[in-house]
Amino acid sequence: MPREQIERQEMPAQDPQERIHNFYEVALGYPEEIAKLEAQRCLQCKKPRCVEGCPVEVPIPEFILALREGDLAGSIRVMKTKNNLPAICGRVCPQETQCEALCVLGKKGQPVAIGRLERFIADWERKTGVQKPDIAPPTGKRVAVIGAGPAGLTAAGDLARYGHKVTIYEALHAPGGVLIYGIPEFRLPKDVVRAEVDYVLSLGVDLVLDCVVGKTLTLEDLFADGYDAIFLGTGAGLPMFMNIPGENYNGVYSANEFLTRVNLMKAYRFPEYDTPVKIGKRVAVVGAGNVAMDAARSALRLGAEEVSIVYRRSRDEVPARAEEVHHAEEEGIQFKFLTNPVEIYGNDKGWVRGMRCIRMALGEPDSSGRPRPVPIPGSEFDMEVDNVIMALGTRPNPMVFTDAQGIERTRHGTIVGDPITGRTTRPRVWAGGDIVTGAATVISAMGAGKRAAADIDAFLKGAFTEADWHAKKEEVPAAHP
Amino acid sequence: MYEILYREDLAPVTKLIEVKAPLVARKARAGQFVVIRVNEKGERIPLTIADFDREKGTLTLIFQEVGKTTMMLGTKRAGDYLASVVGPLGHPSEIENYGTVICVGGGVGIAPIFPIARELKQVGNKVISIIGARNKDLLFWEDRMRSVSDELVVTTDDGSYGRKALVTEPLKEMLEAGLKPARIWAIGPAIMMKFVSLTTQPFGAPTIVSLNSIMVDGTGMCGACRVSVGGQTRFVCVEGPEFDGHQVDWNLLLERQRIYVDEEKRALEHWKEHGCQCDDGC
């Protein structure tokens, strides 16, 4: 078939009516022949714009070319020159605003399904056996990576490949960060996360679990222990609440708590697993980001009959990935736009009974550039609900900074860091991911981990010293793998 | 994995374990807690640190068997392992030479009050302690408490040992007799801490309580442990566990502790019927 006649290939998915009763993965991945067909659509641009849209600069045309020529091993090898975690990225990246947004085919029609191809090639490798890349000879330098989330895992993987001895310190009992406690099984199966973590560990990275840096060990302890460099990738883990009356009633969850119970602690398999979660018939999720979609769809799978997303802006401002909104709508999640809670009320036993909301109108753009939602006076109404899940975003956890000297932070609690190198205001300490940017995406955290790893490598190999610490990136060329 | 080196039955339902966790022991201080998991399928529960030995690298934890997790923990023997021991979490107690202080420990709360009383004594306070339990069987560590207290009163609800009284009764008498403690520490079941706080409030005696709310991660990530103190929502795990007892909304804490009562029953029944289903071979 001529290339122009091939349409963008749909990815098979579990039927919505079936999947709302289970936690199995919703999107099923391309079969090989469909992946090859989709790969035919790529124009192999000489100046590929898609790569510019990728925070880790995956050589997209090259991996797609190898795939369509049937060289699957070559395809994944090309992929992994830039991306240590492709099975994860293929599932959770917002491709429609990154690589696929810049695909030339997208100007007149549908862009190449780059994310689905990435997922296909990563899943193929996981099934057939993971190849180990070349690792540089040991440098004798030691790096501590704090946090085993997307930023930390990426930085650790790259640093190990550069030849440094890396130890990751993780506060929870399982590695993965938001990939393991936040994103549900039906969107990102935990054996996929486990396999990608195992790949990073196979590069010679050590992992210490149950270790809360700032409590069990401090940054000063780590330097005293002889580490040459520290990378902070502790994310943005603290939940935000609205500070409205009634938020402490039983049945009100932060999305973090609800998702941690369900995902990390596997409450959906209670009582086989010990951690419970309590979801009634009617659930309201406040917020409309990916976390809100994950919470709403998880509540449905736990048996809720009526699940609503309550969002103060309109459909056009919804921050979640298009695919998540689409899947949520298919599953029957209701969207209440231009609606904001003002109070949660409860019964005499302290349980949530309902939520008072007010209707909103869109006003002038605010500092984020989006129209500011303004309450419409007198438009209050009540919703009867058994649970409220607050998915309003998160901010960095200050715990890691206990007794840490000289690391400057903003009033939002994020680290003041060089956006390119990840250098903090303290020599030998780098940071990347949500702890620098505030809550963002998995892939942007991975990009930050990657850039910081390159800068750490340059430092450890003597390309610059502590005296050059505050110099701009342009003046100090970073090393390449 | 964290090895249990020693285990002792303090009472039929009250157990002590000494677990090897050198990094935690190195940093542990009185008033702090750990989050533990018994096995891979287990929940994360907070336990206050009853004692620690930095040289041996061990922590002493004391718990009462009240639900599935603590009963499962109660089946562990020396040589067995815990899946996780995380900490030390929360702020340590603010230990200073205040003058005269009162330490009140109720039930299993005697365990965490001990290291606080010991440190208060070490820095020169006059330490008056009151420990109590429902009955004689639930009492423990009278000797250890006596060794760090200038005075010690022991009570039981049913009079089976010591004075037949609630801990609040001798406390009230002391305050009525004109004792002006610089600080009072009270640790025990929420209902006991509530009544200690109500007892001391009219006397204006500063009262510190250690709250035992439900937690998941214990590092500020989930907010399960939120309480209201002085009208402000606070996270027990990172802002506590100690708060001013006169400012705590006790009814909210008591209600929030009951969120999972039905599930706790189900988990216990399931365990009694099917046994432990973890893959750890216990």
Side-chain angles (χ1 to χ4, degrees), chain A residues 108-244:
Chain A
K108 285 188 184 155
Q110 291 284 312
V112 175
I114 300 167
R116 294 170 183 175
L117 293 175
E118 177 181 34
R119 170 184 165 150
F120 165 78
I121 200 68
D123 286 357
W124 172 84
E125 190 200 32
R126 203 169 64 257
K127 279 185 220 118
T128 52
V130 176
Q131 314 163 34
K132 215 168 149 184
D134 298 333
I135 296 176
T139 60
K141 302 287 185 184
R142 293 170 67 214
V143 185
V145 169
I146 319 303
L153 289 170
T154 304
D158 279 11
L159 287 163
R161 286 168 72 173
Y162 292 133
H164 308 301
K165 187 67 204 151
V166 183
T167 303
I168 308 180
Y169 293 90
E170 166 58 45
L172 290 173
H173 58 260
V178 73
L179 308 170
I180 203 95
Y181 75 74
I183 303 178
E185 178 77 15
F186 58 80
R187 193 150 79 82
L188 179 63
K190 299 311 151 215
D191 59 358
V192 172
V193 178
R194 188 69 231 182
E196 306 252 75
V197 171
D198 285 346
Y199 169 75
V200 171
L201 300 183
S202 78
L203 305 175
V205 171
D206 289 329
L207 173 65
V208 180
L209 297 171
D210 293 332
C211 184
V212 185
V213 172
K215 288 288 183 184
T216 318
L217 290 170
T218 64
L219 297 181
E220 305 309 324
D221 291 333
L222 293 170
F223 277 126
D225 198 20
Y227 281 102
D228 299 290
I230 295 178
F231 175 78
L232 301 176
T234 50
L238 293 194
M240 298 208 265
F241 287 91
M242 293 186 78
N243 296 315
I244 57 172

Side-chain angles (χ1 to χ4, degrees), chain A residues 169 171-174 181 208-212 214-218 221 237-239 241 243 246-258 260-261 264-265 269-279 347-351 388 390 394-395 397 399 403, chain B residues 1-2 23-24 26-27 32 37 39-44 68-69 72 83-92 214-228 232-233 235 237-238 252 255-264 266-267 270 277:
Chain A
Y169 293 90
L172 290 173
H173 58 260
Y181 75 74
V208 180
L209 297 171
D210 293 332
C211 184
V212 185
K215 288 288 183 184
T216 318
L217 290 170
T218 64
D221 291 333
L238 293 194
F241 287 91
N243 296 315
E247 265 182 315
N248 293 334
Y249 278 124
N250 291 351
V252 181
Y253 285 107
S254 71
N256 259 13
E257 179 186 355
F258 174 65
T260 299
R261 285 179 178 275
L264 175 72
M265 305 309 296
R269 289 169 67 179
F270 177 87
E272 182 201 346
Y273 283 76
D274 290 342
T275 304
V277 69
K278 200 142 177 151
I279 285 296
N347 64 20
D348 57 358
K349 298 269 194 300
W351 283 88
V388 178
M390 293 293 181
T394 52
R395 58 205 164 82
N397 194 332
M399 200 171 258
D403 94 357
Chain B
M1 300 288 273
Y2 302 80
L23 289 180
V24 185
R26 198 169 76 177
K27 284 275 157 68
Q32 292 186 296
R37 271 185 328 141
N39 60 40
E40 283 308 317
K41 291 183 180 175
E43 58 182 339
R44 296 171 65 100
K68 179 191 169 179
T69 297
M72 212 158 56
S84 290
V85 176
V86 189
L89 301 171
H91 293 294
I214 294 173
M215 292 184 191
V216 183
D217 61 289
T219 63
M221 208 181 99
C222 79
C225 64
R226 60 198 192 276
V227 290
S228 178
Q232 299 279 316
T233 294
F235 285 14
C237 64
V238 288
L252 178 71
E255 279 162 5
R256 288 191 64 81
Q257 285 183 337
R258 292 180 52 80
I259 296 179
Y260 298 107
V261 274
D262 297 342
E263 286 73 15
E264 282 160 16
R266 261 184 75 198
H270 186 266
Q277 293 187 314

Side-chain angles (χ1 to χ4, degrees), chain B residues 38-262:
Chain B
V38 178
N39 60 40
E40 283 308 317
K41 291 183 180 175
E43 58 182 339
R44 296 171 65 100
I45 60 158
L47 289 177
T48 316
I49 297 168
D51 206 353
F52 46 85
D53 186 326
R54 298 209 169 112
E55 274 167 29
K56 275 166 66 189
T58 58
L59 298 174
T60 301
L61 305 174
I62 292 177
F63 56 95
Q64 211 167 45
E65 296 174 341
V66 290
K68 179 191 169 179
T69 297
T70 43
M71 286 186 190
M72 212 158 56
L73 188 56
T75 65
K76 298 288 175 189
R77 299 285 183 275
D80 290 343
Y81 289 84
L82 299 184
S84 290
V85 176
V86 189
L89 301 171
H91 293 294
S93 305
E94 286 174 23
I95 304 292
E96 275 175 44
N97 188 353
Y98 297 103
T100 299
V101 295
I102 302 179
C103 291
V104 186
V108 78
I110 298 167
I113 204 78
F114 166 71
I116 297 172
R118 179 175 60 187
E119 287 197 22
L120 286 166
K121 180 74 190 155
Q122 277 166 359
V123 299
N125 289 281
K126 178 180 180 189
V127 178
I128 300 170
S129 298
I130 305 170
I131 59 170
R134 283 205 306 281
N135 57 52
K136 181 173 186 276
D137 276 351
L138 295 170
L139 273 175
F140 59 92
W141 279 14
E142 182 188 348
D143 51 338
R144 297 190 82 176
M145 282 304 292
R146 196 174 298 284
S147 72
V148 297
S149 307
D150 294 273
E151 282 174 42
L152 177 73
V153 180
V154 183
T155 69
T156 52
D157 296 6
D158 65 356
S160 54
Y161 188 81
R163 177 173 165 187
K164 181 179 190 301
L166 300 173
V167 289
T168 46
E169 292 169 52
L171 177 63
K172 193 173 177 199
E173 289 162 16
M174 289 175 194
L175 298 172
E176 279 173 346
L179 184 70
K180 296 231 178 307
R183 288 201 177 190
I184 297 170
W185 263 266
I187 309 185
I191 194 76
M192 177 214 108
M193 294 190 283
K194 172 182 174 175
F195 281 99
V196 166
S197 300
L198 289 174
T199 301
T200 61
Q201 191 153 25
F203 298 92
T207 302
I208 298 156
V209 292
S210 178
L211 300 185
N212 45 356
S213 48
I214 294 173
M215 292 184 191
V216 183
D217 61 289
T219 63
M221 208 181 99
C222 79
C225 64
R226 60 198 192 276
V227 290
S228 178
V229 181
Q232 299 279 316
T233 294
R234 310 286 293 272
F235 285 14
V236 173
C237 64
V238 288
E239 299 178 271
E242 294 187 354
F243 291 100
D244 175 353
H246 299 152
Q247 301 286 322
V248 172
D249 180 341
W250 292 103
N251 292 342
L252 178 71
L253 175 69
L254 286 159
E255 279 162 5
R256 288 191 64 81
Q257 285 183 337
R258 292 180 52 80
I259 296 179
Y260 298 107
V261 274
D262 297 342

Side-chain angles (χ1 to χ4, degrees), chain A residues 3 6-10 30 34-45 50 60-61 63-65 67-68 94-118:
Chain A
R3 195 196 57 74
I6 307 171
E7 295 202 358
R8 181 177 160 111
Q9 298 297 301
E10 286 305 318
Y30 278 153
I34 300 292
K36 283 182 175 159
L37 197 60
E38 180 66 29
Q40 298 288 333
R41 298 180 63 233
C42 176
L43 295 175
Q44 293 292 313
C45 303
C50 52
I60 294 166
F63 99 80
I64 293 181
L65 181 65
L67 196 172
R68 83 172 170 218
Q95 289 97 5
E96 74 264 21
T97 61
Q98 298 183 156
C99 53
E100 293 180 18
L102 297 174
C103 175
V104 174
L105 286 185
K107 283 184 186 161
K108 285 188 184 155
Q110 291 284 312
V112 175
I114 300 167
R116 294 170 183 175
L117 293 175
E118 177 181 34

